[in-house]
Amino acid sequence: MSRSLRLMFSGSVAVGFGLMSHTALAQQAGDQDAAAPIQRVEITGSSIKRINKEGALPVQVLTQEDIKRTGATSVTDLLQNMPAMQGFVPAASSINTGGGGSTTAALHSLQSKYTLVLLDGQRMAPIQQGNAQGGGFAVNLESIPLDAIERVEILTDGASALYGSDAIAGVVNFITKKNKTDTSVFFNNQTPQHPGGRAYSAGISKGWGNLDTDGYNVLASYSHDFQHAIQATDRDFSRAGGYIPFSYKGQKYVQIATSANNEPGNLSIPAIPHGASQDTAPTVYQFSPYYNAHGNCGNGYSQFLAFPASDGVAAGGNCNFNFAAFVQDNPSTSRDSGLLKGTFKINADTTAWAELVLSDTDVVAQFAPPAQPLGIGPTQYANLYNKYIQPFLTANNLDLSNPGGSRGPIKMSYRPIASGGRADDFDTFARHFSTGIDGQFGGWSYNARLTLSHSQLKDISAGGYLDSDKFNALVSAGTVDPLGGSSGDLLKPTLLNGTTFSTTESDMDTLHFGGQHDTFTLPGGTSILSVGADYSYQHYKIGYNDLIASQNGFQGQPASGDFPIGGAYGSVPSDTSRKNGGVYGEWLFPVIKSLEVTASGRYDSYGRAHSNDIFATVPDASGLIPKLPNGSIGESSHGTTYKVSFRWNPHEDLLFRGAYGTGFKAPALTDLAGPLAYAGSSGSFACPFPGLATCGAGSSQYDLVAGGNGTTGATALKPEKSKQWTVGFVVDPVKGLTLGADLWSVTIRNQVLSSGIAQAEAFDHPQKYSFLFLTNYPDPAGFNTIALEQTPLNGGVAHYKGVDWDNSYRTNLPIGKLNVAWTGTWIWKQDYTTSPGGDVFTDLAKFGEDQAVVFRTQMRLSTTLQTGKFTNTIAANYKSGYKDQSFSAGEGIYPVLANGTVAASDVDFAGLDVPSYTTWDWQGKYDYSKALSFTAGIHNFTDKKPPLTLQAQVAGNSAGYDPRYADVIGRAFYVRGSYNF
């Protein structure tokens, strides 16, 4: 069993604590006993079905009415605005930061991979999470249709002893509608005050047959919803992009978070004195040929940024492009979803059921025009070399430094602005089929279930990406000069619009058997035993278009070197699967009338992962790394977990509860599979090794090289183990007032860090992690740079501690019924290490080493007044402040001098003090009849803007605010109508 807090959204009633009124509860029980047998129900967090009057399981429950009162238009909106939710993946993360068109749930600031999401108690096919999102797998909330949901149950305590791996932080269980016999239609429309972001949805559901009287029920539901994108230029807090003036403690500064990738391009030339040996340490010369010739940057979105000489780098300057002004603050989303569900009574003791949920979601995320460093040499882009580089070398009595014989030792930082912003259409199709049977036999209640869940994600180019072969042909012909000016419409024939870059498939098939039996009688009631077993098969596969697999250096590499300018390339396919099984047991002991204790345990066994894409580690005679026979990777893993919980009612108005348990999580398939290969660009950092020819100017991006850890033995990934406990109370001190709070704690050992050592940690301490850096890495685009290796590892220990509270007051006033609810989460400890015995880091109330923030306090206060057919709700949503990202010299923070000019050099900056953030919502509802109702509301009616942050575009590439933690829509008006017949 597990813990719960009732979620009091806009006046929802208390669910399941048995503390509303002891007398009333006893009367209800007596009436039920006299009338008919009482049906037992199963609640998330326990496998034991029990009679409601026996006592409540501590689970947060959101009913349909609760959901409507939030004004949420999607499952994502509903969950991600709950105080207990932190660390999830928002929609904005699809904008060039690895979200892949998905959104997720995450409890208590643990990453999404630790929160198990179920549909009608069954596992769904998860999708891979990017390294910026914590890695591993999580269920895409965008694939769950809100209109099909009857209620949501949220368990905010670990439940590995029942559900197995992935349930360390808790469980979210979406319960679909059932036994519905009428027809319902609805329509929603939300219109923001500011441009962009308009949303609408409509749907219909119809039921046939009453299960109790007809012996069957069939339900069909369909809904469509759409939300328009919001551009950075649509909001004043993001319009300035990466050029942000601000003040801190009386000093004026400017953050210049721009990019050297520009049109016309910038050059970085490693050179040595004429006639010197190639072993001579080079000096890097960085400049814009166009700026040197014309005195401007060639477009209205770039500015010249000078920099002084430093170790190995000559004084110079680049034309830097303000890319953050060209991104979306929020992507567009279109979704069609449907539910078909049938339930049939075979006899009085047996019921069979089946359900099919389908959804097709398109998330179109657009960010800046394609940024593409390209290598230039005497034979690569020879016309550019002869036009720009050789005259520079001759005029300055220099020779090109190229001791390694690279084909493109000169880096051209280029961005074809005229081609428009890059856009990805993330098309996700999800199919979830589940069927089962529930019955009674020989004194046992039993159930058997088969679930076949599938998800497919396609990344389709929707704008901005260019075909490199076609681009090179235009440059070779002299039609396009990337260093000489704007390309205008000349690049339109090279656009790759409509090309499917990658296809990802995820399957989760599960077979489950369970049963429960009344065992013996104790002073408090009947003891119940529940046992069960399940078997799962998980399959994950990702394949790439030849453009994306181009120049990956592995057997099977496409013959053509063509790749998408501005996109990913050098990628290696992966096809991996794994089987696992588990058995569990749970036993309820009603010790006395006021005290019950539950003990549960589970054993899980995970086989070794099987990969169809295993590669050697060094090239063969062909120069490519050969593919090895299919086989097993990583180690098998197994674990035993347990949980003990209690519920004690010393008085009819007082309840104490608590639990202690252990958790287990096997390494994810994506942590095990895949060779070490090119994985795109890092964030922007100062050069970790000043003086190298591969250094960038100032704050620059470098390459990432990533892969799985499928080794065995001492270096193999180990399962994560956790311990968690909760203790809490609920009390009704006076009529109508309920106070409740739960302390909680989670400790994780052997925590798997999917991206290895965090980028910020590695670049801030390059000497400590020098073994992870490749200082002369040949980027597949033809230039050499610095690269950071990222391989999953067990990172030591992580701690999470806090308190959830849920307080409410209900009373009758002369004008109607008043309900006040105050729910929240306060976290007092969150820390982690990146290696056993290593340094301890924290994100609590600060921008941490892993580029995330954990808010100390999140809470919601709502007041609802029901007067006849009218119901009005006002709610406040609060997040506490935090310390923003700090910056070192070379990372883009420039002081403003007394004369108003910007200093020539950037400086160390300790970070902003980001203030707390509160938004207010209002909703009014009119119930014309039981069948027809109308709702109107205003989200964020004070039009509160996100607080200023200087975070390094780690979510959505946005600058000036952090879209993971703030409302980008602003004031928005919505209406809803629903009709049942």
Side-chain angles (χ1 to χ4, degrees), residues 566-581:
Y569 47 82
S571 299
V572 182
S574 180
D575 185 351
T576 316
S577 61
R578 182 171 59 190
K579 301 173 183 177
N580 66 278

Side-chain angles (χ1 to χ4, degrees), residues 455-818:
S455 178
Q456 181 188 75
L457 168 64
K458 291 185 177 181
D459 179 2
I460 304 170
S461 172
Y465 297 100
L466 308 181
D467 184 296
S468 65
D469 277 358
K470 294 179 180 179
F471 171 81
N472 292 341
L474 291 175
V475 174
S476 297
T479 306
V480 170
D481 182 351
L483 294 168
S486 173
S487 56
D489 293 335
L490 296 173
L491 294 177
K492 281 188 176 180
T494 71
L495 287 170
L496 290 168
N497 296 359
T499 301
T500 299
F501 285 155
S502 65
T503 300
T504 304
E505 296 187 51
S506 175
D507 292 278
M508 176 64 76
D509 301 336
T510 304
L511 183 63
H512 168 86
F513 297 95
Q516 75 172 51
H517 183 64
D518 294 351
T519 52
F520 48 80
T521 301
L522 292 173
T526 302
S527 177
I528 304 173
L529 172 66
S530 173
V531 295
D534 48 54
Y535 170 85
S536 295
Y537 170 79
Q538 183 181 6
H539 177 229
Y540 172 80
K541 179 180 180 180
I542 183 167
Y544 297 103
N545 185 287
D546 282 355
L547 292 165
I548 307 300
S550 173
Q551 304 173 74
N552 61 27
F554 291 81
Q555 181 181 335
Q557 169 185 293
S560 170
D562 196 10
F563 67 93
I565 288 180
Y569 47 82
S571 299
V572 182
S574 180
D575 185 351
T576 316
S577 61
R578 182 171 59 190
K579 301 173 183 177
N580 66 278
V583 293
Y584 68 87
E586 183 178 12
W587 208 331
L588 168 68
F589 301 95
V591 182
I592 56 178
K593 290 291 184 181
S594 61
L595 175 65
E596 61 182 35
V597 176
T598 302
S600 57
R602 181 182 174 97
Y603 175 79
D604 282 286
S605 178
Y606 281 74
R608 297 182 67 191
H610 179 86
S611 176
N612 294 327
D613 292 291
I614 303 176
F615 293 88
T617 57
V618 295
D620 59 16
S622 71
L624 299 177
I625 297 177
K627 187 174 182 179
L628 303 177
N630 301 343
S632 298
I633 57 174
E635 297 275 20
S636 60
S637 56
H638 58 85
T640 301
T641 55
Y642 66 89
K643 187 171 187 177
V644 179
S645 61
F646 75 91
R647 179 184 185 276
W648 179 39
N649 275 102
H651 187 270
E652 62 186 28
D653 294 326
L654 178 63
L655 175 149
F656 292 102
R657 59 173 175 260
Y660 179 86
T662 60
F664 165 88
K665 181 172 175 57
L669 291 180
T670 48
D671 291 330
L672 299 170
L676 201 62
Y678 174 73
S681 299
S682 72
S684 294
F685 300 97
C687 182
F689 304 102
L692 292 181
T694 47
C695 278
S699 183
S700 299
Q701 290 181 299
Y702 296 93
D703 280 4
L704 299 175
V705 181
N709 181 355
T711 60
T712 58
T715 60
L717 286 178
K718 298 183 286 292
E720 300 176 67
K721 300 292 183 70
S722 70
K723 293 182 179 179
Q724 51 267 332
W725 55 261
T726 63
V727 60
F729 72 91
V730 179
V731 60
D732 291 348
V734 297
K735 182 179 179 180
L737 177 63
T738 299
L739 305 175
D742 288 270
L743 298 175
W744 52 265
S745 173
V746 180
T747 299
I748 302 176
R749 299 187 182 279
N750 296 329
Q751 187 173 40
V752 174
L753 305 179
S754 296
S755 59
I757 301 299
Q759 290 183 39
E761 167 70 1
F763 277 92
D764 286 348
H765 304 93
Q767 299 303 325
K768 177 178 179 181
Y769 299 106
S770 59
F771 61 96
L772 294 177
F773 284 96
L774 305 173
T775 57
N776 195 34
Y777 176 71
D779 184 282
F783 63 94
N784 285 38
T785 185
I786 295 171
L788 173 67
E789 289 188 5
Q790 295 187 304
T791 304
L793 55 85
N794 290 108
V797 183
H799 300 96
Y800 307 83
K801 292 183 179 180
V803 58
D804 296 330
W805 69 85
D806 182 359
N807 303 318
S808 66
Y809 178 67
R810 302 170 300 280
T811 189
N812 293 324
L813 300 176
I815 59 173
K817 298 178 180 179
L818 178 69

Side-chain angles (χ1 to χ4, degrees), residues 1 3 64 112 187 217 290 389-390 478 577 623 760:
M1 293 215 294
R3 55 172 297 284
Q64 271 192 314
S112 299
F187 175 77
N217 177 256
Y290 188 92
I389 287 86
Q390 189 59 60
S577 61

Side-chain angles (χ1 to χ4, degrees), residues 196-200 226-230 330-333:
R198 183 182 176 186
Y200 67 86
F226 182 85
Q227 182 173 28
H228 291 270
I230 299 175
N330 211 52
S332 67
T333 302

